[in-house]
């Protein structure tokens, strides 16, 4: 059974640009969550999608957005990139509420 | 607001030693608590999941316990090996706004010396 797949693995962008990250959950999982990991703040929750609906959102500015498709794949978009957006972005999938979360390898975003 | 704390931040032990990693949380209203392992530059690997109604879970040399009343969980690693060197993270899954999210501790960086 394939795990959670995130693409691309590494990304370098310039300030002011926008970026789209992709996450393919484990087959059959309908919940996809996104987290940002930085050395200073640790892992912080961005948002969660279930059956194409955003059910929950963390305390991030509106520049961070996402969506989920009918096949449960999810994308995360960050517009007007800032240096502080440099981080490891992790995606997790779960079968449903209160179940085990499985993470992908992450996308390392560097903003220069 | 749920806060998750892990102590110590770093731990160095000789190979073969048994060890305990600690995780505490401030709000007992959790769905479950999950322990993860993260190797440098990599994603998170799920180690053990304890539902709120359970007291402990075991997998191989790993044993995790949960005490909701005291807001504590421990991860016990028996007969540690150099390959166990990694950062260990605990996360509480909490209800929020009709949905849920994981709240993570900052992790314990474990080094097992040969």
């Amino acid at each position: 059974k394939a795990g959670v797949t995130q693409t691309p693995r590494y990304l370098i962008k310039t300030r002011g640009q926008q970026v789209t990250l992709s996450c393919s959950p484990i087959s059959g999982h309908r919940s996809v969550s996104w987290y940002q990991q930085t050395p200073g703040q640790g892992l912080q929750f961005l948002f969660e999608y279930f059956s194409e609906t955003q059910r929950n959102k963390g305390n991030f500015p509106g520049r961070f957005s996402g969506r989920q498709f009918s096949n449960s794949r999810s994308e995360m978009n960050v517009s007007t990139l800032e240096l502080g957006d440099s981080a490891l972005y992790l995606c997790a999938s779960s079968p449903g509420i209160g179940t085990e979360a499985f993470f992908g390898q992450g996308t390392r975003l560097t903003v220069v | 607001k749920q806060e998750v704390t892990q102590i110590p931040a770093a731990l160095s032990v000789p190979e073969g030693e048994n060890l305990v990693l600690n995780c505490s949380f401030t709000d007992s209203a959790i769905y479950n608590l999950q322990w993860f392992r993260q190797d440098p530059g990599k994603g998170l690997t799920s180690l053990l999941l304890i539902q709120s109604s359970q007291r402990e879970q075991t997998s191989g040399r790993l044993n995790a316990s949960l005490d909701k009343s005291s807001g504590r969980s421990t991860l016990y690693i028996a007969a540690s090996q150099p390959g166990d060197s990694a950062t260990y993270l605990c996360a509480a899954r909490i209800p929020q706004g009709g949905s849920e999210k994981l709240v993570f501790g900052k992790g314990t960086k474990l080094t097992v010396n040969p």
Side-chain angles (χ1 to χ4, degrees), chain A residues 34-38 42-44 46 60 64 84-85 87-89:
Chain A
W34 289 88
Y35 293 82
Q36 181 196 65
Q37 186 177 31
T38 58
L43 275 147
Q44 292 187 292
L46 280 158
F60 280 81
F64 292 80
D85 297 332
L88 180 66
Y89 290 88

Side-chain angles (χ1 to χ4, degrees), chain A residues 35 37 40-43 45 48 55-56 88 90 94 96-101 103-105, chain B residues 31-32 34 36 38 41-44 46 49 51 89 93 96-97 99-102 104 106:
Chain A
Y35 293 82
Q37 186 177 31
Q41 299 297 317
L43 275 147
F45 171 74
E48 187 243 351
R55 296 195 306 179
N56 201 0
L88 180 66
L90 292 162
S94 305
I97 293 177
T99 57
E100 188 171 4
F103 281 78
Q105 289 297 299
Chain B
Y31 287 129
N32 57 49
Q34 198 166 351
F36 296 90
Q38 186 175 32
K42 300 293 180 67
L44 276 60
S46 178
L49 170 76
Q51 297 292 353
L89 296 149
R93 185 177 288 275
Q96 183 181 41
S99 179
E100 57 179 17
K101 70 175 186 180
L102 286 170
F104 283 87
K106 293 288 180 70

Side-chain angles (χ1 to χ4, degrees), chain A residues 59-104:
Chain A
N59 295 324
F60 280 81
R63 300 185 296 106
F64 292 80
S65 63
R67 59 177 175 170
Q68 186 180 33
F69 302 95
S70 58
N71 61 358
S72 292
R73 188 177 71 85
S74 177
E75 286 182 348
M76 190 191 96
N77 184 276
V78 187
S79 62
T80 320
L81 284 165
E82 301 177 359
L83 295 178
D85 297 332
S86 294
L88 180 66
Y89 290 88
L90 292 162
C91 165
S93 80
S94 305
I97 293 177
T99 57
E100 188 171 4
F102 297 89
F103 281 78

Side-chain angles (χ1 to χ4, degrees), chain B:
Chain B
K1 178 187 173 186
Q2 177 72 272
E3 292 183 1
V4 178
T5 305
Q6 291 186 249
I7 295 174
L11 183 63
S12 182
V13 301
E15 182 177 2
E17 194 162 294
N18 302 326
L19 59 101
V20 174
L21 305 180
N22 296 296
C23 172
S24 62
F25 47 96
T26 54
D27 189 339
S28 62
I30 65 171
Y31 287 129
N32 57 49
L33 190 131
Q34 198 166 351
W35 283 91
F36 296 90
R37 167 189 172 135
Q38 186 175 32
D39 293 286
K42 300 293 180 67
L44 276 60
T45 300
S46 178
L47 297 173
L48 287 165
L49 170 76
I50 312 177
Q51 297 292 353
S52 60
S53 58
Q54 297 175 320
R55 297 284 295 191
E56 67 178 283
Q57 282 286 333
T58 299
S59 176
R61 294 183 294 110
L62 305 179
N63 176 278
S65 68
L66 175 65
D67 185 341
K68 276 183 59 177
S69 61
S70 65
R72 293 183 182 181
S73 176
T74 62
L75 179 66
Y76 173 83
I77 303 177
S80 58
Q81 302 170 358
D84 295 330
S85 297
T87 296
Y88 290 80
L89 296 149
C90 69
R93 185 177 288 275
I94 65 169
Q96 183 181 41
S99 179
E100 57 179 17
K101 70 175 186 180
L102 286 170
V103 178
F104 283 87
K106 293 288 180 70
T108 294
K109 185 176 182 180
L110 173 65
T111 302
V112 181
N113 301 301

Side-chain angles (χ1 to χ4, degrees), chain A residues 21-38:
Chain A
L21 313 181
S22 179
C23 172
S24 293
I26 292 172
S27 178
H29 288 193
R30 297 165 65 188
S31 172
V32 174
S33 302
W34 289 88
Y35 293 82
Q36 181 196 65
Q37 186 177 31
T38 58

